[in-house]
Amino acid sequence: MDPIFLASAVTTWVLNKLLDSLKDATIKALLGTEGLTTEVKDLVHALDRANLILGSLSAGAAVGIKLGNQQLEPQITEVRHQAVKLAKHIDKLQYYDLGEKVKKMNLKDSNQIR
């Protein structure tokens, strides 16, 4: 199987998962509280464009077009690597937000007991 097709298919999947996270209302709100709304919009737009390009590679391979440009493989791998790193940061953000909510609930509960 064509390595470019494999790399683009995996990267497309990672980008879709990342886009789902960035479009989540909770994540949008959290990033908005940090003043990152404009940056997130720009990032989502760039990820959508990258996804279109990678999708066209996969679609072409599905109909038998072999790209044969091995120089693309490192760039596709780098896009995937960066997307995975960003997804990990978003996961941490969700984790810390959940921790803060639990702390607030515990404080609220302990104040009600008194």
Side-chain angles (χ1 to χ4, degrees):
M1 187 168 276
D2 184 11
I4 299 297
F5 169 74
L6 289 175
S8 66
V10 171
T11 304
T12 299
W13 182 83
V14 170
L15 289 178
N16 283 328
K17 295 304 253 177
L18 181 57
L19 283 165
D20 287 346
S21 292
L22 288 172
K23 292 175 181 176
D24 179 74
T26 305
I27 293 297
K28 278 185 173 179
L30 286 170
L31 293 171
T33 61
E34 298 298 321
L36 298 172
T37 304
T38 302
E39 288 83 354
V40 171
K41 275 186 195 177
D42 292 343
L43 178 61
V44 167
H45 184 67
L47 290 173
D48 279 334
R49 284 193 325 258
N51 225 3
L52 283 172
I53 293 166
L54 291 169
S56 68
L57 293 176
S58 297
V63 295
I65 298 171
K66 185 172 181 179
L67 191 59
N69 187 344
Q70 300 305 318
Q71 293 174 346
L72 279 178
E73 193 172 0
Q75 284 80 11
I76 292 170
T77 301
E78 181 62 22
V79 168
R80 182 176 63 245
H81 176 71
Q82 294 301 324
V84 167
K85 281 177 59 175
L86 182 55
K88 287 180 182 179
H89 288 298
I90 290 173
D91 286 346
K92 283 182 187 176
L93 183 62
Q94 287 176 311
Y95 173 79
Y96 290 125
D97 180 58
L98 185 60
E100 288 299 312
K101 287 178 181 175
V102 168
K103 283 180 190 176
K104 287 178 184 176
M105 286 176 48
N106 288 342
L107 268 173
K108 186 178 175 184
D109 290 344
S110 67
N111 286 339
Q112 288 179 353
I113 294 174
R114 291 181 188 174

